[in-house]
Amino acid sequence: MHIIAKNLSLDYPLGSVKKSLLGKIFSGNVGGKIFTDETENTYIRALDSISFEFHPGDRVGIYGNNGSGKTTLLKVLAGIYPLSEGTLEMEGCVSSFLSMNLGMDPDLTGLENIIFRTRLLGMSQKQTETVIDCAANFSELGEYLDLPLRTYSNGMLTRLSFSLVTAFDPEILLMDEWLSVGDESFQEKAQIKLEEIFHSSSISVIVSHNPNMIKRLCNKIFKIEVGQLSIVDE
Amino acid sequence: MFHKQFKKSLFTLNIINKDFFNGLKLFYVWRVLAWADILQRYKRTVIGPFWGVITTALLLLFIGPVYSKLFGQNLTEYFPYVAVSYVIWNFFSTLVVEGANSLIISTDYIKNMAWPFSVYFYRCVLRNIFVLMHNFIVLVPLLFYFNLVSLQGILLFIVGLGLICTLGFAITIVLGILSLRYRDIPQLVTNLLNMLFFLTPVLWSVNMLGASSWMVQFNPVFHVLEVLRRPLLGGVPEIVSYCVIIISIFVLLSLGFYFFYKTKKELAFWA
């Protein structure tokens, strides 16, 4: 099981974009470099020649500012965005849910939402029951699981979705800012849970804008800036 | 040179094959999504999808008698004709409009899940088959009442349904991909279909055109209707209709696969 990337680049196509004068004068430092090719199509170089090797036991943390390419990198690893250049070799079963709230229906109850997720993953009745137990226990939502999601507060919603995404244990775990969730007591619990699944899944990759969090949890730390990855600590 | 060409086309086939075959294997995903789509439409109602059935039943109850008078037709002949035609028109036109929206409504999943794109095409077709099956709750008693049910009819209908679903699938791929890039297309398709409703023999029948009845042959949707409604009304579709459908399937499916091959790398970015 491993993830190996060599000179991986990703150009995000924007179609034809008119650039304003203002944008040209104040070149910002948010996001990847924007460039236009000979056919007048504009792209963002979201990932710029990235190379790395992740092996079992690696708890990879990547931090960077808004628009630095964190989520794009995860989406490439998840197989959602195709590469523009370079190679990516992935071996192992990748976690499926990048977004915590994907497919959640406010008119279904908490329980129905859990079942919907497990069905999307093609789980058997028995596996579904395990997931339900796991998520119900961890979220501590109790009777609220039988109420529609629209009756939940934001905090309760994140409790549910966090409990749900962490109820599956894949070989390769990809996480996008799953850390800032819930109230204080839940945060503590969430941290412990994260550490637990970090150790149980073979390779975990987590991205966040918060370097402290990552430094505490991970043993392989990278910084991403304007689509370029640099190693901070190993 | 030839060898290189051959290798390239094999590679093309492989990409298409991989997506559409792997998508087929994810049956459990698109079944769940298709059914969830239907429930979503009628959320917080008590009888859920049966509202669709009631809508169809009510409409037919009023259209039947009124239009049979309007067109001077015999009610026992006109009523089953218009009922079957209307349900099938609805099935096909909705499939086309939703086909155009198949990828647009799936952008959340496209941007977050690494499923093959074909999952969303299958989802669209299956959802419309579910709706058609619901409407059969209205049609079946009606067909029995007018004594139009036969084994031959049922078999021919199943063949027709298979063909039209394949055609709908091909249209879904073509329009789904184009619409994801050019968001004006679903609007255009909706408009065209509204117009086609009046140009296609749904409420009126071909023989009302008299000497000009040959004109309908040039309307492809007419053949779609014929392949499905003739068997249900105790007749047999013309060979011409089957030919038009099969040729359309071939052309549109090839076009769809070509579009897919050309755009596969960009679809996720357009979503």
Side-chain angles (χ1 to χ4, degrees):
Chain A
M1 202 177 311
H2 59 247
I3 310 175
I4 298 171
K6 281 194 189 116
N7 300 321
L8 183 159
S9 291
L10 184 114
D11 296 327
Y12 198 113
L14 298 176
S16 47
V17 177
K18 283 204 184 82
K19 278 186 198 156
S20 68
L21 191 64
L22 214 62
K24 273 180 195 162
I25 296 169
F26 300 103
S27 62
N29 54 1
V30 174
K33 283 193 191 89
I34 300 173
F35 66 95
T36 306
D37 70 1
E38 60 278 2
T39 53
E40 292 293 300
N41 286 320
T42 306
Y43 297 86
I44 298 172
R45 173 137 286 214
L47 299 176
D48 196 1
S49 195
I50 287 177
S51 301
F52 54 76
E53 277 187 34
F54 302 153
H55 294 286
D58 283 354
R59 301 193 299 280
V60 183
I62 300 167
Y63 66 91
N65 292 331
N66 299 132
S68 54
K70 303 181 297 273
T71 306
T72 309
L73 179 58
L74 274 196
K75 289 195 175 182
V76 170
L77 294 183
I80 293 161
Y81 289 158
L83 320 175
S84 308
E85 284 159 36
T87 56
L88 176 68
E89 205 184 303
M90 292 210 55
E91 224 173 73
C93 180
V94 187
S95 64
S96 324
F97 286 100
L98 271 189
S99 152
M100 286 215 302
N101 296 324
L102 182 67
M104 290 249 184
D105 184 339
D107 283 302
L108 294 183
T109 67
L111 200 62
E112 285 166 335
N113 271 295
I114 298 176
I115 294 171
F116 181 70
R117 277 278 176 100
T118 59
R119 291 231 179 103
L120 279 186
L121 295 177
M123 289 192 157
S124 69
Q125 188 64 36
K126 212 175 158 202
Q127 287 169 305
T128 303
E129 276 164 27
T130 325
V131 171
I132 291 175
D133 281 349
C134 206
N137 263 330
F138 193 76
S139 65
E140 297 170 341
L141 284 169
E143 286 172 316
Y144 273 89
L145 282 177
D146 295 319
L147 294 183
L149 290 200
R150 70 189 132 81
T151 62
Y152 287 27
S153 71
N154 280 335
M156 288 160 83
L157 201 62
T158 41
R159 269 173 181 254
L160 180 72
S161 41
F162 181 85
S163 310
L164 196 47
V165 279
T166 51
F168 311 97
D169 34 42
E171 292 172 343
I172 298 176
L173 181 72
L174 307 176
M175 288 188 285
D176 188 2
E177 302 273 10
W178 288 3
L179 293 167
S180 46
V181 294
D183 51 31
E184 221 168 282
S185 70
F186 190 74
Q187 282 239 357
E188 264 170 48
K189 237 178 113 172
Q191 298 247 351
I192 297 167
K193 176 80 176 177
L194 273 183
E195 274 170 46
E196 206 181 289
I197 54 172
F198 258 48
H199 287 95
S200 72
S201 51
S202 256
I203 303 176
S204 340
V205 183
I206 184 163
V207 303
S208 174
H209 59 261
N210 183 349
N212 297 330
M213 184 83 67
I214 279 181
K215 278 171 188 157
R216 197 162 58 238
L217 280 167
C218 304
N219 59 9
K220 221 175 189 182
I221 297 164
F222 293 90
K223 184 174 192 216
I224 188 163
E225 259 176 323
V226 210
Q228 286 172 329
L229 197 69
S230 51
I231 195 148
V232 175
D233 193 11
E234 191 155 4
Chain B
M1 172 69 189
F2 177 75
H3 181 244
K4 212 174 163 189
Q5 202 76 33
F6 181 69
K7 232 177 160 177
K8 197 183 163 211
S9 62
L10 266 189
F11 175 69
T12 312
L13 270 180
N14 193 28
I15 285 186
I16 293 165
N17 191 20
K18 225 172 151 183
D19 196 279
F20 285 85
F21 192 68
N22 287 346
L24 210 54
K25 282 194 286 188
L26 288 175
F27 170 66
Y28 57 87
V29 173
W30 38 277
R31 191 195 57 200
V32 169
L33 287 177
W35 187 238
D37 287 339
I38 290 185
L39 293 183
Q40 184 118 28
R41 260 175 228 176
Y42 302 102
K43 57 175 153 191
R44 298 169 78 174
T45 62
V46 178
I47 56 169
F50 289 99
W51 271 114
V53 180
I54 290 173
T55 310
T56 310
L58 270 182
L59 201 89
L60 293 179
L61 206 65
F62 288 105
I63 281 186
V66 173
Y67 274 72
S68 79
K69 280 272 184 304
L70 202 61
F71 291 138
Q73 300 280 309
N74 183 353
L75 189 66
T76 47
E77 256 176 52
Y78 183 74
F79 195 58
Y81 171 81
V82 82
V84 169
S85 304
Y86 181 76
V87 167
I88 290 169
W89 165 267
N90 248 355
F91 165 65
F92 187 71
S93 63
T94 315
L95 179 53
V96 172
V97 171
E98 290 186 0
N101 285 303
S102 58
L103 292 181
I104 294 177
I105 63 158
S106 307
T107 47
D108 262 0
Y109 286 103
I110 292 175
K111 280 194 269 192
N112 286 294
M113 302 293 282
W115 287 326
F117 287 96
S118 60
V119 161
Y120 311 112
F121 304 136
Y122 295 126
R123 166 196 191 179
C124 175
V125 175
L126 187 66
R127 184 201 310 136
N128 282 286
I129 294 176
F130 281 153
V131 174
L132 180 67
M133 291 303 128
H134 274 97
N135 280 328
F136 263 74
I137 298 171
V138 183
L139 278 194
V140 169
L142 205 79
L143 294 176
F144 270 105
Y145 179 78
F146 286 102
N147 204 14
L148 291 166
V149 183
S150 69
L151 182 64
Q152 178 200 286
I154 295 172
L155 291 177
L156 277 175
F157 175 76
I158 293 172
V159 172
L161 189 61
L163 284 172
I164 300 308
C165 287
T166 316
L167 179 66
F169 181 64
I171 293 173
T172 301
I173 303 171
V174 173
L175 291 181
I177 292 174
L178 284 177
S179 306
L180 190 66
R181 178 71 181 81
Y182 304 102
R183 301 287 170 107
D184 297 271
I185 288 177
Q187 306 293 336
L188 182 72
V189 170
T190 312
N191 269 304
L192 285 179
L193 280 166
N194 278 342
M195 191 188 70
L196 265 177
F197 176 73
F198 295 102
L199 297 181
T200 309
V202 181
L203 294 181
W204 47 277
S205 64
V206 183
N207 50 31
M208 289 180 205
L209 280 178
S212 316
S213 61
W214 53 270
M215 289 195 313
V216 293
Q217 298 290 337
F218 294 98
N219 178 354
V221 187
F222 165 71
H223 297 288
V224 172
L225 285 176
E226 285 290 283
V227 159
L228 287 176
R229 78 178 160 197
R230 284 256 184 130
L232 291 181
L233 296 171
V236 178
E238 306 264 354
I239 294 293
V240 185
S241 298
Y242 282 116
C243 289
V244 171
I245 300 299
I246 289 171
I247 293 171
S248 312
I249 289 176
F250 183 76
V251 171
L252 289 168
L253 213 53
S254 314
L255 194 65
F257 286 155
Y258 174 74
F259 280 175
F260 183 73
Y261 172 68
K262 281 286 177 195
T263 59
K264 187 181 191 303
K265 282 203 129 195
E266 310 211 45
L267 284 180
F269 299 118
W270 293 344

